[in-house]
Amino acid sequence: MASVSLRSVHKKFGPITVLQSIDLDIEDGEFVVLVGPSGCGKSTLLRSIAGLETINGGEIHIGERQVNHVAPKDRDIAMVFQSYALYPHMDVRRNMGFSLNLRKSPTRMVVERVSAASTKLGLNSLLDRLPKQLSGGQRQRVAMGRAIVRNPQVFLFDEPLSNLDAKLRATMRTEIKALHQSLKTTAIYVTHDQVEAMTMANRIVVMSDGVIQQVGAPLELYDRPANIFVAGFIGSPTMNFFDAVIDGKQAGLADGSLLALPASAAVTEGQKVVIGIRPEHLHFTDTGIPGTVVVVEPLGMSTQVTLDAARERVTLLALERPVLAPGDRKHLTARPQDIHVFDRASGLRVN
Amino acid sequence: MATQQTRLLGKLAVAPSVIVLFLWMIVPLALTIYFSLLRYNLLDPGNESFVGFFNYEYFLSDPAFFAAIGNSLKLVFAVLAISIVGGTLLALLLDQAIVGRNIVRLMVIAPFFIMPTVSALVWKNMFMHPVSGLFAWLMKSVGLEPIDWFAQYPLTAVIIMVAWQWLPFATLILLTAIQSLDEEQKEAAEMDGTPPISYFYYIVLPHLARPITVVILIETIFLLNVFAEIYVTGSGGPAGNLPYLVYFQGLLNFDVGGASAGGIVAVVLANIVAFFLIRMIGRNLEG
Ligand SMILES: Nc1ncnc2c1ncn2[C@@H]1O[C@H](COP(=O)(O)OP(=O)(O)OP(=O)(O)O)[C@@H](O)[C@H]1O
Ligand SMILES: [Mg+2]
């Protein structure tokens, strides 16, 4: 187990900068999830930590050691790949023991470690099978077993669940989390699925275009997104955004209606802002922003209503079951403390 | 979608080509079998008579037959060994990011496109010629006695020539296979800290098992039929293989009956080899 720290890490592919000045401290035993849209550099960052890519600037420390020029095998890390990358000609047992055998570990130790890992992962009955004789979820488990037997300082996962179906993904998510809680090894996990990020992480790192947008605990990111990008990326259905101009203690929306701002908003008269409101924080009232119902989608536990209001498409999640039909005219509001205010020019949070 | 009529129509439509193909194969085979049972010598035309299996007895008890079989096998095994070992090494080399990789690849493939007759002539007159050949010049320039390849080591010379032609084929197939090795698997091996020899032995070689079997199958079929290189270089006497012996019987001894019997023997032997090869391949291609 070890901490990982990145100091202004740069990475370029030819002329294209893929990572710019990444600073990140991951504590010993932490489970950190990297999320971001496709192509934002998550895999590149993970592979740089693994040593599969050489960085063009900055420093990477694993534990006390600076590893910029250390070969992947000597970094004492294990990686679980998206396609699992099992060796197709070796059975499960040999797949798991391969790295230890290469290190000339004593046979007894290899056998012990492999059987401990396979017990932990429920692979005992599959040890003599070849990868092609396993299901996707079982292969996934073998890939994790292969990482576990090495007893590394850090686990790296690159979208390990993206090849599984939705149900299995949920199961494996729980298993990986449980595994982490019993092993307490530092883990860095890449995904573009924000549900995985929210449920598994101790801390989430949101990236976009090779830049870290925000680092924080899942609910911290949800409740206090640092900028418009994070606000829109975290949460499903996504946050509603309204362009607005500050008018006293209120925000004037595009259709002229006014919305009370939270007391903490540091804004000036006439400032152009973006107001963000989560779907579950919007309510129907008698006065407020007028809107027209477009679609009503009952989800069981809640009802999702799509409306046109203040020249935007707006989503509202209602826990009660409103009786509505498309075309109905309603008024919307939100409590001031539930409102997120962002500066329109910089995109940064101002409350 | 195939209704009764369309299926019948389909059968009628392919029937002519099937029949032609069948005749194409069966007529020569039947005639060869027929000739192999006759005493049929071109020096004594019009006197053909039925002799039963005499031609087979004669052919199979001829010491030249065993020499020819031996040469055939030596040729096949030697060329297979050279082209697979060499092909694997070359493929590993060409897989590296070297400068001018595309040109090097093209040059490596080139021998495969050269006609056997042409390559045999080039090898014979420009490389292995004891007076004017490149090898002779090289040996003389370091003060050694030049080798007269086709007089002293005819079979080796033929093997070198044929291997030179087939090495590119093996290289090409194995290179394609190496390049299809999964990137993430390579990286997993890198993270596991696999040293190059282990990497080759545990990861690359198992991956190459199938393409190697395919190379063995295809090359064996063609190598059993090598003729031009032996004929053109005049190495038929000491290095003649089975096809050359058949040619020798038929067109130099004018013994059509004996040559036909030899042809049939060659067909039977080729089928035995094919049987084992196909079984071996089938096992390897299954999973
Ligand atoms: N070997 C490479 N050569 C050139 N550009 C590359 C290379 N690998 C990645 N890139 C580029 O770097 C950027 C980041 O890629 P990366 O694989 O890190 O994205 P990602 O965040 O993992 O995306 P995804 O969620 O789709 O996996 C992309 O724009 C990609 O095109
Ligand atoms: Mg990726």
Side-chain angles (χ1 to χ4, degrees):
Chain A
M1 285 189 277
S3 59
V4 176
S5 70
L6 310 176
R7 290 279 159 271
S8 57
V9 169
H10 283 262
K11 172 71 191 171
K12 284 186 197 167
F13 283 118
I16 308 157
T17 303
V18 179
L19 298 176
Q20 23 184 319
S21 194
I22 300 283
D23 281 295
L24 184 62
D25 281 296
I26 296 167
E27 281 165 34
D28 194 359
E30 213 177 0
F31 197 112
V32 166
V33 175
L34 302 178
V35 277
S38 193
C40 70
K42 308 179 293 287
S43 298
T44 308
L45 182 57
L46 197 74
R47 293 162 55 79
S48 303
I49 297 172
L52 295 171
E53 305 278 0
T54 36
I55 54 176
N56 301 102
E59 289 183 16
I60 299 177
H61 288 264
I62 296 178
E64 300 298 299
R65 202 155 56 117
Q66 206 243 47
V67 293
N68 283 26
H69 300 290
V70 177
K73 68 180 167 77
D74 298 323
R75 293 192 181 192
D76 204 1
I77 45 185
M79 185 152 170
V80 177
F81 292 86
Q82 180 172 359
S83 69
Y84 317 138
L86 301 178
Y87 305 123
H89 311 282
M90 301 182 197
D91 59 21
V92 170
R93 192 192 310 275
R94 290 201 44 216
N95 255 293
M96 298 218 285
F98 187 62
S99 61
L100 294 179
N101 284 327
L102 283 179
R103 275 149 220 255
K104 313 246 182 305
S105 313
T107 318
R108 251 195 56 211
M109 187 183 108
V110 178
V111 172
E112 269 167 25
R113 292 250 193 113
V114 168
S115 78
S118 66
T119 307
K120 199 161 230 141
L121 293 162
L123 290 171
N124 278 330
S125 57
L126 306 175
L127 283 176
D128 295 317
R129 295 217 201 153
L130 291 175
K132 68 181 173 204
Q133 299 164 325
L134 300 175
S135 73
Q138 291 166 337
R139 278 180 216 178
Q140 162 67 54
R141 257 176 264 234
V142 177
M144 300 217 306
R146 202 167 61 171
I148 292 174
V149 292
R150 289 182 49 187
N151 199 5
Q153 303 274 2
V154 182
F155 282 125
L156 305 178
F157 298 90
D158 193 354
E159 308 203 20
L161 304 184
S162 57
N163 288 347
L164 304 180
D165 68 48
K167 201 167 162 209
L168 197 52
R169 208 180 302 167
T171 320
M172 288 307 298
R173 207 163 69 200
T174 322
E175 275 191 30
I176 293 180
K177 185 108 198 245
L179 196 67
H180 176 252
Q181 274 155 6
S182 76
L183 294 174
K184 299 199 169 50
T185 306
T186 314
I188 308 176
Y189 187 106
V190 165
T191 178
H192 57 244
D193 179 348
Q194 50 149 318
V195 179
E196 264 173 41
M198 296 290 283
T199 52
M200 299 177 83
N202 295 130
R203 275 196 307 158
I204 296 179
V205 177
V206 182
M207 288 181 66
S208 164
D209 288 334
V211 179
I212 292 185
Q213 299 289 335
Q214 191 175 0
V215 183
L219 291 180
E220 197 178 312
L221 258 60
Y222 190 82
D223 293 339
R224 288 186 58 81
N227 54 42
I228 296 182
F229 177 82
V230 177
F233 191 78
I234 301 285
S236 169
T238 50
M239 189 184 275
N240 299 299
F241 293 110
F242 302 94
D243 283 344
V245 179
I246 298 300
D247 181 1
K249 288 261 165 243
Q250 292 180 307
L253 303 190
D255 64 344
S257 52
L258 294 172
L259 201 60
L261 290 176
S264 60
V267 287
T268 52
E269 185 71 23
Q271 187 180 351
K272 289 182 174 159
V273 294
V274 174
I275 300 292
I277 307 173
R278 295 226 177 258
E280 67 271 26
H281 292 148
L282 273 178
H283 305 287
F284 293 120
T285 50
D286 300 332
T287 61
I289 315 161
T292 314
V293 176
V294 182
V295 181
V296 181
E297 295 161 285
L299 302 173
M301 192 172 76
S302 59
T303 302
Q304 184 173 331
V305 186
T306 308
L307 306 102
D308 279 332
R311 305 201 188 137
E312 302 284 345
R313 214 10 91 84
V314 177
T315 317
L316 177 151
L317 268 187
L319 280 180
E320 68 279 16
R321 298 182 176 178
V323 182
L324 291 170
D328 285 1
R329 296 193 57 80
K330 302 291 280 183
H331 290 269
L332 304 171
T333 190
R335 298 185 307 171
Q337 63 265 39
D338 291 334
I339 290 175
H340 306 266
V341 187
F342 304 98
D343 179 60
R344 203 186 304 173
S346 66
L348 295 178
R349 181 183 192 88
V350 291
N351 69 311
Chain B
M1 291 309 271
T3 61
Q4 290 279 320
Q5 284 111 320
T6 55
R7 235 175 286 162
L8 183 67
L9 209 63
K11 276 180 194 162
L12 283 177
V14 294
S17 43
V18 171
I19 292 170
V20 167
L21 261 180
F22 185 70
L23 290 178
W24 204 268
M25 192 194 80
I26 208 69
V27 170
L29 186 67
L31 273 178
T32 311
I33 293 177
Y34 171 64
F35 287 149
S36 72
L37 301 174
L38 295 182
R39 196 192 82 85
Y40 182 179
N41 198 305
L42 292 178
L43 294 178
D44 186 12
N47 272 334
E48 292 82 43
S49 58
F50 185 78
V51 290
F53 288 102
F54 173 77
N55 281 327
Y56 288 93
E57 267 169 49
Y58 178 76
F59 191 84
L60 290 175
S61 59
D62 184 354
F65 168 71
F66 293 101
I69 288 271
N71 284 337
S72 273
L73 291 180
K74 279 182 212 157
L75 182 66
V76 169
F77 281 116
V79 174
L80 275 181
I82 294 174
S83 61
I84 284 171
V85 174
T88 310
L89 295 178
L90 268 178
L92 285 173
L93 206 65
L94 292 180
D95 188 40
Q96 311 297 315
I98 45 173
V99 211
R101 181 160 70 165
N102 287 336
I103 297 201
V104 173
R105 280 188 193 166
L106 191 69
M107 279 166 55
V108 167
I109 308 305
F112 196 52
F113 294 112
I114 296 174
M115 281 172 274
T117 321
V118 175
S119 102
L121 283 173
V122 169
W123 274 96
K124 181 182 177 185
N125 295 321
M126 296 180 70
F127 289 110
M128 294 175 164
H129 196 280
V131 178
S132 56
L134 182 69
F135 293 165
W137 178 78
L138 280 177
M139 297 199 70
K140 266 185 278 183
S141 56
V142 292
L144 292 174
E145 186 70 14
I147 300 174
D148 183 355
W149 285 91
F150 293 102
Q152 289 170 272
Y153 308 106
L155 186 60
T156 312
V158 170
I159 287 173
I160 292 174
M161 277 164 20
V162 178
W164 178 80
Q165 285 231 296
W166 281 95
L167 186 60
F169 173 75
T171 308
L172 190 66
I173 302 243
L174 297 177
L175 177 63
T176 329
I178 286 180
Q179 286 177 336
S180 73
L181 197 60
D182 181 42
E183 259 328 292
E184 286 198 341
Q185 223 179 86
K186 287 188 204 168
E187 290 177 350
E190 191 181 342
M191 302 222 30
D192 278 345
T194 323
I197 305 273
S198 306
Y199 175 71
F200 175 74
Y201 188 74
Y202 290 112
I203 316 274
V204 177
L205 210 52
H207 182 72
L208 291 185
R210 278 184 206 199
I212 285 180
T213 341
V214 171
V215 170
I216 291 179
L217 176 74
I218 296 179
E219 287 200 4
T220 308
I221 294 169
F222 282 91
L223 293 176
L224 280 173
N225 294 331
V226 165
F227 177 73
E229 287 86 346
I230 296 172
Y231 178 72
V232 169
T233 57
S235 328
N241 59 358
L242 208 49
Y244 187 85
L245 185 63
V246 173
Y247 156 80
F248 185 82
Q249 282 293 341
L251 295 175
L252 298 184
N253 282 352
F254 306 108
D255 177 7
V256 176
S260 298
I264 296 298
V265 170
V267 167
V268 170
L269 286 179
N271 274 297
I272 293 174
V273 174
F275 175 77
F276 285 110
L277 276 177
I278 296 279
R279 275 187 48 153
M280 175 174 92
I281 295 230
R283 211 174 321 128
N284 233 320
L285 294 189
E286 243 164 37

